Amino acid sequence: MSGFRFPVSRLSDEALLSGLATGDPELADTFVRRFQYRVFGVAMAVTRDQQLAEDVAQLTFERAWRHAQIYDSRRGSVATWLTTIAHNLAVDAVRAQRTEPMASEDLDALLAVVTQTPERWALADEASSQLRAAVARLPREQARALVMAGIYGLTAQQIAEREGIPLGTAKTRVRAAMAKLRTTLASPQRGDHVQ
């Protein structure tokens, strides 16, 4: 080691990233300190949860350490690369916290259980049996959209993506299903009641 050492705080972002990749503790510490607030800020903006943002920030630096050797300066600065990693991890973390909806192909089976189980109708109260009957009378596409929105809490955009339909069509299906249910449940038909 030579007697003169360049202050690590004055090293370029690329040099610090290289030091991170080699496992140099001083360079790694300087790299983290240089970017910690930016990375945490991106994570916090996406997650809106301090603990989750801290976890995302830690994962971001771990990923940067593991992938430092594949960083390509022609594709953007170290800061851009690192904040992109943070953003992607934060989005993934938020998605992972949401309840995972049932696979689209399983929705038909769920609709059958919800709408076509006479033994459950006998045990259910009058309101739930009326609701099941009303859902059973909906067109299949509207019933699927209603289940995705009402039970799984998907947005119209998410429904459109899952069903492979335009956003406007997804919104129309949910609105139409809700309107039909309101009309049906507001004026019960004969034969809808379980006695």
Side-chain angles (χ1 to χ4, degrees), residues 53-117:
E54 289 172 2
D55 293 344
V56 166
Q58 182 175 348
L59 288 171
T60 299
F61 287 112
E62 288 174 11
R63 183 155 301 169
W65 169 68
R66 283 195 313 271
H67 299 286
Q69 67 278 4
I70 63 169
Y71 165 73
D72 183 358
S73 62
R74 294 173 295 182
R75 298 183 70 191
S77 68
V78 171
T80 301
W81 178 71
L82 197 59
T83 54
T84 300
I85 292 171
H87 180 267
N88 292 341
L89 287 172
V91 168
D92 290 346
V94 169
R95 284 183 183 150
Q97 284 194 325
R98 291 188 184 144
T99 303
E100 274 300 309
M102 184 176 286
S104 297
E105 55 274 6
D106 295 335
L107 281 174
D108 291 329
L110 175 64
L111 285 171
V113 169
V114 171
T115 61
Q116 300 171 3
T117 55

Side-chain angles (χ1 to χ4, degrees), residues 129-193:
S129 65
Q130 288 175 347
L131 179 60
R132 284 189 180 101
V135 171
R137 285 194 297 272
L138 290 174
R140 181 179 170 273
E141 296 81 17
Q142 290 177 6
R144 286 175 61 88
L146 181 70
V147 167
M148 285 189 267
I151 294 177
Y152 293 108
L154 297 183
T155 65
Q157 180 65 45
Q158 291 168 322
I159 293 169
E161 290 169 3
R162 289 186 182 277
E163 296 289 286
I165 57 175
L167 176 60
T169 302
K171 289 179 179 180
T172 299
R173 286 180 182 177
V174 172
R175 257 185 270 146
M178 291 300 294
K180 287 177 183 177
L181 284 180
R182 265 190 229 103
T183 301
T184 301
L185 296 175
S187 58
Q189 304 290 319
R190 283 193 327 181
D192 284 349
H193 305 292

Side-chain angles (χ1 to χ4, degrees), residues 7-76:
V8 293
S9 63
R10 298 173 90 195
L11 289 173
S12 69
D13 295 345
E14 290 81 8
L16 289 176
L17 181 61
S18 295
L20 178 70
T22 63
D24 182 297
E26 185 179 9
L27 294 177
D29 184 57
T30 303
F31 181 84
V32 170
R33 289 183 190 279
R34 183 174 290 178
F35 293 105
Q36 68 185 355
Y37 295 111
R38 185 180 305 193
V39 167
F40 178 76
V42 168
M44 190 66 183
V46 174
T47 64
R48 301 188 190 286
D49 177 303
Q50 183 174 348
Q51 183 60 50
L52 188 56
E54 289 172 2
D55 293 344
V56 166
Q58 182 175 348
L59 288 171
T60 299
F61 287 112
E62 288 174 11
R63 183 155 301 169
W65 169 68
R66 283 195 313 271
H67 299 286
Q69 67 278 4
I70 63 169
Y71 165 73
D72 183 358
S73 62
R74 294 173 295 182
R75 298 183 70 191

